[in-house]
Amino acid sequence: AYFDKHPEWYSFHRNRTGGVWFQRHSQFNYHNPELAEHVARLRLEGFRGWAKHLPNLCLSQNDCFGWSEDPVTVAFDAAEGSVAASHVRFVNEVADAVAAEFPDRRLITLAYLQTLIPPRTLEYAPNVALMICEPDAIWGRAVTRSGSLGGQYLGIVRAWSRKSALPVVWIYHMTSSWQYQFNPDVAGLQDDFRAYLEAGARGFFAEVYSDATNTTYFDDLRSYLMTRLAWDPDLDLDALLRDFHLRYFGPRS
């Protein structure tokens, strides 16, 4: 929306001639003060008007890579050991502006793809909720049954939980046959919820669906189990399975 007038708000790509600002598959120049002021103004206008009934508004990176390679961003992220550093700084800058006028409202952001690894020293402002997204290598699999990779991700959740007032895990239980080829692990859900709780997570969001060509993955069952286990991860899993089948399919099931 703003690239023609403000290319410097977007990501910078270094090349042999110096570099160019780019828009396609781009993130943002999080160290540009005009961008921070503009985004803060948009969020405040939202809370004053069209979003006045909402407790939260999102402020996150784009669903792509394309991190800026401008010298300021590169140096800042290098000092913190993570490209998430510039994102944290930017979100906090907007969150501070929101808190000054709406202390009871919250921004929601992501730890996702490149920003999954937390910075060394920075942490999110108290009015920021952080959704920590599972890496694609374990989508649909039980984290507690994914060996060292699952252990690494739980370590990331644990680290972010010390840097966020409201850490939330984003669980991917998608079974779209055109994009994701796996069979979701239902039996491991209970151990996963217990592990997320132990790692410091205080909420969860789940993508649970199959595509129209493949309806064999019990989307409703998975949604039901996640909802019940989110309230109490120590419920009897076998009892939950019996309860679902009796209510959903009837006594003959």
Side-chain angles (χ1 to χ4, degrees):
Y2 307 103
F3 186 77
D4 289 343
K5 291 185 177 180
H6 298 284
E8 73 281 1
W9 287 5
Y10 293 75
S11 286
F12 183 81
H13 174 65
R14 288 181 292 184
N15 57 30
R16 293 178 180 177
T17 61
V20 294
W21 302 100
F22 68 98
Q23 177 183 9
R24 182 173 174 81
H25 303 304
S26 168
Q27 299 294 342
F28 299 97
N29 178 7
Y30 287 128
H31 294 270
N32 186 294
E34 292 181 348
L35 175 65
E37 292 172 5
H38 178 73
V39 173
R41 184 165 57 250
L42 290 178
R43 289 298 173 268
L44 288 170
E45 289 173 356
F47 281 131
R48 292 171 190 150
W50 64 269
K52 62 183 178 181
H53 62 291
L54 297 177
N56 312 309
L57 280 178
C58 290
L59 177 60
S60 190
Q61 67 202 77
N62 285 326
D63 190 6
C64 62
F65 289 92
W67 218 252
S68 185
E69 298 174 340
D70 67 278
V72 175
T73 298
V74 170
F76 188 85
D77 292 346
E80 285 284 339
S82 169
V83 297
S86 291
H87 183 70
V88 173
R89 176 189 175 278
F90 177 79
V91 172
N92 283 349
E93 194 169 355
V94 179
D96 289 344
V98 169
E101 185 172 343
F102 297 99
D104 60 335
R105 305 295 183 91
R106 182 185 290 121
L107 295 177
I108 302 176
T109 194
L110 303 179
Y112 176 60
L113 293 176
Q114 285 174 292
T115 60
L116 193 55
I117 304 300
R120 291 192 182 102
T121 65
L122 296 179
E123 58 186 46
Y124 276 110
N127 61 330
V128 176
L130 176 65
M131 303 184 82
I132 310 161
C133 303
E134 290 180 341
D136 56 2
I138 57 175
W139 285 356
R141 298 165 57 189
V143 173
T144 50
R145 302 184 184 195
S146 298
S148 60
L149 186 60
Q152 291 173 21
Y153 176 63
L154 288 172
I156 289 172
V157 173
R158 197 171 290 110
W160 273 120
S161 295
R162 295 191 290 267
K163 295 176 175 289
S164 170
L166 184 57
V168 177
V169 291
W170 184 313
I171 302 170
Y172 293 92
H173 251 245
M174 303 170 294
T175 58
S176 177
S177 60
W178 58 268
Q179 191 174 11
Y180 307 109
Q181 298 287 345
F182 54 70
N183 186 9
D185 189 339
V186 173
L189 281 172
Q190 185 167 49
D191 288 338
D192 279 7
F193 273 92
R194 288 170 172 166
Y196 283 135
L197 184 65
E198 185 277 331
R202 291 296 173 264
F204 87 103
F205 173 85
E207 277 191 63
V208 181
Y209 61 80
S210 303
D211 66 14
T213 64
N214 194 335
T215 58
T216 63
Y217 289 114
F218 298 101
D219 294 358
D220 299 314
L221 170 62
R222 291 186 284 136
S223 298
Y224 171 79
L225 290 176
M226 287 184 181
T227 304
R228 295 297 302 273
L229 291 170
W231 287 104
D232 184 357
D234 293 324
L235 291 173
D236 186 320
L237 187 62
D238 289 335
L240 289 179
L241 290 169
R242 288 194 300 272
D243 180 59
F244 174 85
H245 283 84
L246 287 171
R247 293 171 182 267
Y248 193 88
F249 295 107
R252 293 184 64 186
S253 67

